[in-house]
Amino acid sequence: MAYHSGYGAHGSKHRARTAPDSPPLFDDTSGGYSGQPGGYPASGAEVAFNVNHLLGDPMANMAMAYGSSIASHGKDMVHKELHRFVSVDKLKYFFAVDTAYVAKKLGLLVFPYTHQNWEVRYSRDVPLPPRQDLNAPDLYIPTMAFITYVLLAGMALGIQKRFSPEVLGLCASTALVWVVMEVLALLLGLYLATVRTFHLLAYSGYKYVGMILSVLTGLLFGSDGYYVALAWTSSALMYFIVRSLRTAALSPDSMGGPAPRQRLQLYLTLGAAAFQPLIIYWLTFHLVR
């Protein structure tokens, strides 16, 4: 299976199957996502009570409001800095999504085992935008998932009467720092020549989806439900990352390097996948009690 990163810099050699010319990226870029919590079954009355308790707690509502302000402020700062150092045209590619893509991608992240074709599709040596190719990485889902994680963390801390602006800020900054460190580690591991930074950022950010599902399940069903959801989402994310990054690192355009380097790339892919459950657990276990 071949994966080609970039925006057509390698030519048309060994490209995956070619699709018709793609229309402009932003004809329809609305989208959203939601997750359904899983875990041990509970009666309808118990789940309804838990939901009402979560939504009716004044402390939780205040925490969510403060978390929303932090997330919005952080989003504005990120956009401002990105416009200074990053090509907007390149960045638009990773946000060219629609509702259908978001729904299918969330399903793939939660249950990737039946997906067969992991190749990224090209049109005239340019990768198709995410809304036309399910295998294309995007930054919309990681961005929205990060914001949702911050809001959910604030609500969880408020329910447990442990909320404070400092704690929520530390929670948000820690989650962001972990992703940055992970991307830098992969880049230093010789991925720079084969997998682009934005692609790594997208794959690293998909973990927030599993973190949201794990915390939601823990809040609704307790610690037992949390660990069940944690095990499921972690294994699914590991499988997804191994298949996606292995396809990217071992694409035909990147097979010209020495064999030791190819083996190193494979080992780094497996190591990055194995590290995901630890990060998810470290960033979520304190939110469920």
Side-chain angles (χ1 to χ4, degrees):
M1 292 181 292
Y3 181 101
H4 302 272
S5 59
Y7 305 90
H10 297 296
S12 59
K13 184 179 179 181
H14 298 292
R15 294 301 185 195
R17 63 179 181 276
T18 301
D21 293 351
S22 58
L25 294 180
F26 282 92
D27 289 344
D28 176 16
T29 58
S30 61
Y33 77 95
S34 60
Q36 295 295 333
Y40 290 137
S43 67
E46 292 175 346
V47 174
F49 174 79
N50 288 337
V51 172
N52 292 333
H53 177 69
L54 296 181
L55 299 179
D57 193 311
M59 192 66 175
N61 292 333
M62 184 185 71
M64 288 185 65
Y66 186 80
S68 178
S69 66
I70 288 182
S72 298
H73 181 66
K75 182 180 178 182
D76 293 338
M77 291 183 60
V78 169
H79 284 173
K80 182 179 179 181
E81 294 301 319
L82 284 176
H83 282 291
R84 291 177 55 189
F85 301 104
V86 178
S87 171
V88 177
D89 291 335
K90 290 183 178 180
L91 194 60
K92 284 182 178 180
Y93 167 85
F94 293 93
F95 288 89
V97 303
D98 56 15
T99 305
Y101 167 84
V102 172
K104 292 179 181 178
K105 193 74 169 192
L106 290 175
L108 180 62
L109 290 171
V110 176
F111 194 85
Y113 307 108
T114 58
H115 191 62
Q116 298 296 325
N117 183 16
W118 293 84
E119 295 179 351
V120 171
R121 299 162 57 196
Y122 282 76
S123 175
R124 292 186 177 180
D125 303 331
V126 177
L128 292 177
R131 69 191 182 105
Q132 293 184 329
D133 184 9
L134 183 61
N135 296 323
D138 73 281
L139 290 174
Y140 176 83
I141 290 178
T143 300
M144 298 305 297
F146 173 75
I147 295 174
T148 304
Y149 165 74
V150 174
L151 297 177
L152 187 61
M155 184 180 71
L157 293 172
I159 292 172
Q160 300 169 16
K161 311 301 181 185
R162 296 189 295 122
F163 172 79
S164 69
E166 293 78 11
V167 173
L168 184 58
L170 180 61
C171 182
S173 60
T174 301
L176 188 60
V177 167
W178 270 111
V179 172
V180 173
M181 292 176 59
E182 183 180 353
V183 172
L184 291 178
L186 291 174
L187 289 176
L188 292 176
L190 301 180
Y191 267 90
L192 185 59
T194 57
V195 184
R196 305 254 176 155
T197 305
F198 283 148
H199 292 70
L200 292 176
L201 186 61
Y203 292 129
S204 299
Y206 286 137
K207 69 169 60 65
Y208 293 124
V209 175
M211 291 163 58
I212 293 170
L213 293 178
S214 299
V215 173
L216 273 177
T217 305
L219 293 177
L220 292 175
F221 300 97
S223 60
D224 291 338
Y226 165 76
Y227 285 110
V228 170
L230 176 67
W232 178 268
T233 56
S234 297
S235 60
L237 182 63
M238 290 171 61
Y239 184 86
F240 174 85
I241 288 181
V242 167
R243 295 302 303 267
S244 298
L245 283 184
R246 185 174 183 274
T247 302
L250 301 182
S251 60
D253 284 344
S254 63
M255 292 296 288
R261 175 169 178 171
Q262 296 176 22
R263 288 195 298 268
L264 176 60
Q265 292 172 343
L266 179 59
Y267 294 151
L268 286 172
T269 299
L270 296 176
F275 199 54
Q276 299 305 308
L278 299 178
I279 300 178
I280 295 177
Y281 174 77
W282 180 256
L283 296 175
T284 57
F285 79 97
H286 62 285
L287 301 176
V288 179
R289 288 187 177 180

